């Protein structure tokens, strides 16, 4: 029996087993085996080659993946937002390779990736799905692109990403594991867990832990526990874009909004656009910036003053040390101190060290040894 068949059998057994306290540990072990076999299958597929693949070099200040089923308008949107020239068409599977483009916004270079349209079963390898999903894993933000007439695609897209270990809009579970030499498995929880200790222990053993101290600091179900045990999950922010909004008749708008609510999408949070007519794109650019959490730092360059034209782009929470690393050269080795003016400073020209956290539109001067 091949791995695909074993995965299918495990999924069927999980789906057909009633969930209750008496079956909880059994289902947990099945889900652990399923996670192991999926990872094994992914490694086999990635090492087997068999084509050019979809490897795309990350460039720019951040990367955004446009995710959607065939013919929702990803290529048209990419062309409208960037300098790319992605082939467009009204038929399915126009995009057969990953097409990158560069969105220039507020001084940032944001790489957009138009990945081939996902189809159901992508996580199992259908339609080059594994390669497509591996590209999504490297992004900093996911844009779910939906047709206004096919909002239900959102749930199917979420499922395909979930099956490939991608967790949009989630934080990693607060589960830590420390291996030890003896004394078995010890479970310590700071909350009153719904999972019993026997279930947790059996799942850990299924993942190869015989002796370990496990600390759980939040309420977790079986899936979140397994996510906390495995180190190959990717946690990314996402936003929803509804395309072809120009085709919505006034009396159909409430139907669209209700469809969004049925999938736990607040209509006020979704971005309605028409990629073809280039409507709603300013709002989308602003949302991309906000979701990525980018900040601009204006460098005070010796003898030239503050450069407001080409800011240094960093992620929110970045420190002076992060700025030095992105600037490259020998800033880390020769760093003496920095001076900061702007939102993060207590006063103009505040002297700070490498651990100072920067804010949007700070002015930064780095002083180095000769």
């Amino acid at each position: 029996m091949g791995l695909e068949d074993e995965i299918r059998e495990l999924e069927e057994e999980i789906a057909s087993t009633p969930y209750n306290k008496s079956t909880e540990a059994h289902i947990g072990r099945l889900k652990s085996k399923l996670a192991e076999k999926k990872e094994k299958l992914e490694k086999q597929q990635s090492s087997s080659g068999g084509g050019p693949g979809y490897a795309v070099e990350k460039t720019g200040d951040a990367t955004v993946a446009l995710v959607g089923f065939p013919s929702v308008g990803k290529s048209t949107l990419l062309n409208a937002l960037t300098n790319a020239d992605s082939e467009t068409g009204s038929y399915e599977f126009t995009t057969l390779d990953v097409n990158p483009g560069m969105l220039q916004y507020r001084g940032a270079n944001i790489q957009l990736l138009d990945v081939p349209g996902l189809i159901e079963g992508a996580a199992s390898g259908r339609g080059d799905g594994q390669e497509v999903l591996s590209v999504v894993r490297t992004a900093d933000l996911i844009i779910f692109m939906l047709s206004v007439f096919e909002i239900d695609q959102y749930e199917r897209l979420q499922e395909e990403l979930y099956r490939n270990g991608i967790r949009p809009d989630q934080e990693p579970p607060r589960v830590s594991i420390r291996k030890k030499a003896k004394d078995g498995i010890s479970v310590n929880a700071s909350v009153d867990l719904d999972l019993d200790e026997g279930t947790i222990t059996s799942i850990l053993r299924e993942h190869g832990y015989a002796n370990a101290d496990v600390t759980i600091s939040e309420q977790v179900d079986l899936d979140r526990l397994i996510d906390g045990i495995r180190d190959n999950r990717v946690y990314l922010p996402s936003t929803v874009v509804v395309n072809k909004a120009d085709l919505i008749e006034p009396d159909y708008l409430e139907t669209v909004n209700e469809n969004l609510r049925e999938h736990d999408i607040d209509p006020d949070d979704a971005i309605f656009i028409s990629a073809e007519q280039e409507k709603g794109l300013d709002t989308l650019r602003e949302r991309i910036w906000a979701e990525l959490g980018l900040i601009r730092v204006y460098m005070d360059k010796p003898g030239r003053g503050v450069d407001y034209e080409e800011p240094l782009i960093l992620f929110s929470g970045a420190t002076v040390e992060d700025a030095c690393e992105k600037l490259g050269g020998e800033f880390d080795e020769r760093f003496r101190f920095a001076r900061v003016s702007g939102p993060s400073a207590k006063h103009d020209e505040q002297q700070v060290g490498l651990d100072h956290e920067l804010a949007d539109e700070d002015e930064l001067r780095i002083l180095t040894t000769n």
Side-chain angles (χ1 to χ4, degrees):
M1 181 184 295
L3 269 176
E4 291 94 337
D5 294 325
E6 292 179 27
I7 288 170
R8 194 177 304 110
E9 282 197 0
L10 283 168
E11 289 176 334
E12 289 173 356
E13 186 174 354
I14 291 169
S16 63
T17 304
Y19 185 92
N20 53 55
K21 273 295 177 184
S22 63
T23 62
E24 188 175 71
H26 174 64
I27 292 174
R29 287 191 293 271
L30 291 175
K31 288 189 171 185
S32 297
K33 289 179 181 178
L34 180 63
E36 294 274 5
K37 291 187 182 298
K38 281 184 175 179
E39 186 173 343
K40 188 176 180 181
L41 177 62
E42 183 180 350
K43 287 179 179 177
Q44 282 186 2
Q45 290 174 333
S46 62
S47 63
S48 63
Y54 295 104
V56 177
E57 181 182 357
K58 290 185 69 172
T59 62
D61 300 299
T63 299
V64 177
L66 300 178
V67 173
F69 277 72
S71 301
V72 295
K74 298 189 307 300
S75 298
T76 304
L77 177 61
L78 184 80
N79 293 339
L81 288 175
T82 76
N83 55 2
D85 186 17
S86 179
E87 183 183 353
T88 62
S90 58
Y91 48 90
E92 292 193 348
F93 297 105
T94 307
T95 304
L96 300 177
D97 246 323
V98 172
N99 288 304
M102 195 66 73
L103 166 63
Q104 295 177 326
Y105 187 65
R106 293 187 175 181
N109 291 312
I110 302 171
Q111 183 183 43
L112 300 187
L113 300 179
D114 166 22
V115 299
L118 287 181
I119 60 174
E120 288 180 276
S124 302
R126 289 187 60 201
D128 292 331
Q130 283 283 355
E131 290 88 345
V132 172
L133 291 168
S134 68
V135 171
V136 177
R137 290 174 67 95
T138 67
D140 301 299
L141 171 67
I142 299 169
I143 290 181
F144 288 104
M145 193 161 178
L146 309 174
S147 163
V148 70
F149 303 111
E150 297 175 292
I151 302 299
D152 64 330
Q153 290 179 341
Y154 179 71
E155 189 172 325
R156 291 147 63 194
L157 291 169
Q158 284 271 11
E159 184 174 336
E160 291 300 333
L161 296 183
Y162 188 90
R163 292 177 64 195
N164 197 58
I166 300 169
R167 304 289 184 261
D169 304 315
Q170 290 187 23
E171 293 294 326
R174 288 184 289 161
V175 176
S176 64
I177 304 171
R178 184 176 63 85
K179 288 185 176 181
K180 57 186 181 182
K182 58 181 181 178
D183 297 331
I185 295 173
S186 174
V187 179
N188 303 291
S190 59
V191 295
D192 188 12
L193 294 173
D194 292 337
L195 294 177
D196 63 55
E197 190 168 327
T199 298
I200 295 169
T201 300
S202 67
I203 291 173
L204 283 158
R205 285 181 178 145
E206 193 67 46
H207 283 86
Y209 289 96
N211 302 286
D213 287 326
V214 183
T215 302
I216 303 175
S217 303
E218 67 172 70
Q219 189 65 256
V220 292
D221 58 14
L222 289 173
D223 292 323
R224 288 280 286 173
L225 175 62
I226 292 170
D227 283 352
I229 294 170
R230 305 191 70 78
D231 60 0
N232 64 342
R233 304 315 196 214
V234 177
Y235 299 86
L236 299 173
S238 77
T239 196
V240 173
V241 170
V242 181
N243 192 27
K244 306 178 185 178
D246 56 307
L247 303 179
I248 303 176
E249 297 292 339
D251 59 353
Y252 186 64
L253 179 59
E254 186 49 43
T255 300
V256 174
N257 289 341
E258 187 56 38
N259 288 340
L260 289 168
R261 294 187 195 100
E262 287 176 1
H263 295 284
D264 295 324
I265 304 169
D266 186 337
D268 292 333
D269 288 338
I271 305 293
F272 287 80
I273 69 164
S274 169
E276 190 169 308
Q277 310 237 344
E278 299 193 5
K279 293 181 178 178
L281 301 191
D282 286 343
T283 303
L284 177 55
R285 291 184 186 97
E286 176 61 35
R287 176 65 63 84
I288 289 172
W289 175 272
E291 291 290 344
L292 285 170
L294 297 176
I295 63 172
R296 296 157 291 181
V297 175
Y298 303 115
M299 299 304 301
D300 189 346
K301 300 178 179 179
R304 288 180 286 173
V306 180
D307 182 358
Y308 295 105
E309 297 300 317
E310 295 185 13
L312 182 69
I313 303 297
L314 301 167
F315 287 99
S316 180
T319 63
V320 172
E321 183 174 16
D322 295 319
C324 290
E325 287 181 7
K326 186 156 188 180
L327 288 167
E330 300 175 355
F331 281 102
D332 276 344
E333 297 173 9
R334 298 171 53 211
F335 180 86
R336 289 171 55 209
F337 60 88
R339 294 197 183 277
V340 178
S341 299
S344 78
K346 296 178 181 177
H347 52 79
D348 285 350
E349 297 284 312
Q350 179 186 352
Q351 182 172 318
V352 299
L354 288 170
D355 61 350
H356 177 81
E357 186 173 317
L358 298 164
D360 189 35
E361 298 199 279
D362 272 347
E363 297 174 8
L364 173 66
R365 179 153 44 107
I366 296 173
L367 291 93
T368 60
T369 57
N370 294 326

